[in-house]
Amino acid sequence: MGTLEIKNLTRSFAQNDTRLPVLNALTFTVAKGEFVALLGPSGCGKSTLFNIVAGLLAPDSGEVYLNGERVYGSTGRFAYMQQKDLLLQWRTVLKNVLIGPEIQKEPLDTAKTEAMQLLAQLGLSGFERSYPMQLSGGMRQRVALVRTLLFRKEILLLDEPFGALDAMTRTVMQSILLDVWRDGGQTILLITHDIEEALLLADKICLLTARPATLKAEMAVPLPRPRDVTDAAFIELKRTLLEMLQVEMAQVFSEA
């Protein structure tokens, strides 16, 4: 299982005496086990989409289906990593990442063993008893990723999970995420502003228009992994995506 269907999602927000349209009949599908990246101009509504899927916001119209079943409201069926790490300041790193197993009443001994392995894999060994205020922004983001993975949901919603990381750590984290995805078989929907990141990770890229966002294009990424940013086919896909994205960015600035 793990098929996500977004059907005609529309959403606007009150702005002074008018309505600001953010999503406009947005429709696409993420297949079971698929890794899909969302690209689009900043502010086009990608995070709003995730908030609707996770049940934190209601759409004005449209539907979200999980495995053919309409989902509405906070269902607890998605693992959602937001842009801010949202770590609990009064809990240690280890206790922060164990929130999911605690909520789901899983055996904590088993969960703790897995948590320690993931923390080590992400370069956080020795920080299990540290508190969030003692960590750098990039380290906090890595803790948040471990916490998300330990919820063990069939669909992961990742909103710019590596945005706070330096280039080298980002590369390592991308590789680790691919390993976790291959081993676990989850369905992943990733928001990113980085075209190269989308091409390195995703099976398919959904390109959104400027606000109000609708689907501009879907692009399959038929390249074997691991992918090489210097490969001619990779460069050509990047060029095509950049050209389409530049059109939407020009629309944003023309309205500013």
Side-chain angles (χ1 to χ4, degrees):
M1 307 299 281
T3 298
L4 178 66
E5 297 174 86
I6 308 298
K7 292 191 175 181
N8 296 312
L9 280 189
T10 297
R11 172 73 197 207
S12 61
F13 292 95
Q15 185 181 61
N16 299 322
D17 296 327
T18 62
R19 300 291 296 180
L20 178 69
V22 176
L23 301 177
N24 178 29
L26 180 60
T27 298
F28 65 92
T29 298
V30 183
K32 172 188 174 182
E34 193 172 32
F35 197 134
V36 174
L38 283 177
L39 280 174
S42 181
C44 75
K46 298 182 293 294
S47 294
T48 297
L49 166 65
F50 271 21
N51 286 334
I52 291 173
V53 172
L56 303 178
L57 283 176
D60 296 337
S61 61
E63 308 287 349
V64 177
Y65 290 88
L66 177 59
N67 303 325
E69 175 188 348
R70 180 177 178 269
V71 293
Y72 183 78
S74 184
T75 64
R77 298 171 71 177
F78 303 92
Y80 183 11
M81 181 177 172
Q82 296 174 277
Q83 290 182 28
K84 295 181 179 180
D85 58 71
L86 301 178
L87 299 179
L88 301 179
Q89 300 302 312
W90 59 91
R91 294 181 67 124
T92 64
V93 164
L94 183 58
K95 289 187 176 180
N96 260 288
V97 302
L98 289 174
I99 287 174
E102 284 182 20
I103 292 173
Q104 293 158 178
K105 302 188 185 305
E106 298 177 13
L108 288 186
D109 286 344
T110 301
K112 183 177 178 180
T113 298
E114 185 177 354
M116 296 294 282
Q117 291 172 347
L118 283 169
L119 288 169
Q121 193 175 4
L122 272 66
L124 292 166
S125 287
F127 292 93
E128 299 86 355
R129 296 183 180 180
S130 299
Y131 288 88
M133 68 178 64
Q134 298 172 303
L135 306 179
S136 69
M139 292 170 73
R140 290 167 61 109
Q141 201 74 350
R142 282 181 272 162
V143 173
L145 179 59
V146 174
R147 180 185 59 191
T148 303
L149 294 172
L150 285 174
F151 270 92
R152 298 192 188 89
K153 300 299 181 182
E154 57 187 329
I155 295 184
L156 306 183
L157 306 175
L158 306 179
D159 191 348
E160 294 193 78
F162 309 135
L165 304 179
D166 62 85
M168 185 63 69
T169 305
R170 187 182 186 116
T171 299
V172 173
M173 292 287 286
Q174 289 168 347
S175 177
I176 290 171
L177 180 59
L178 282 176
D179 289 342
V180 169
W181 169 65
R182 277 190 292 257
D183 293 343
Q186 296 104 325
T187 304
I188 295 182
L189 188 55
L190 167 79
I191 291 174
T192 180
H193 286 99
D194 187 326
I195 293 175
E196 278 197 2
E197 180 169 79
L199 287 169
L200 283 168
L201 297 177
D203 298 314
K204 180 175 72 179
I205 296 170
C206 291
L207 181 64
L208 305 186
T209 66
R211 190 180 64 238
T214 192
L215 184 66
K216 180 182 179 73
E218 280 189 354
M219 176 184 288
V221 187
L223 304 176
R225 295 183 176 93
R227 294 169 180 165
D228 181 355
V229 298
T230 65
D231 179 75
F234 187 102
I235 293 170
E236 180 60 21
L237 289 173
K238 181 179 177 181
R239 183 191 63 79
T240 300
L241 282 168
L242 182 59
E243 288 177 354
M244 290 191 290
L245 190 56
Q246 285 174 334
V247 171
E248 298 308 316
M249 290 300 299
Q251 178 69 20
V252 171
F253 286 106
S254 70
E255 294 175 355

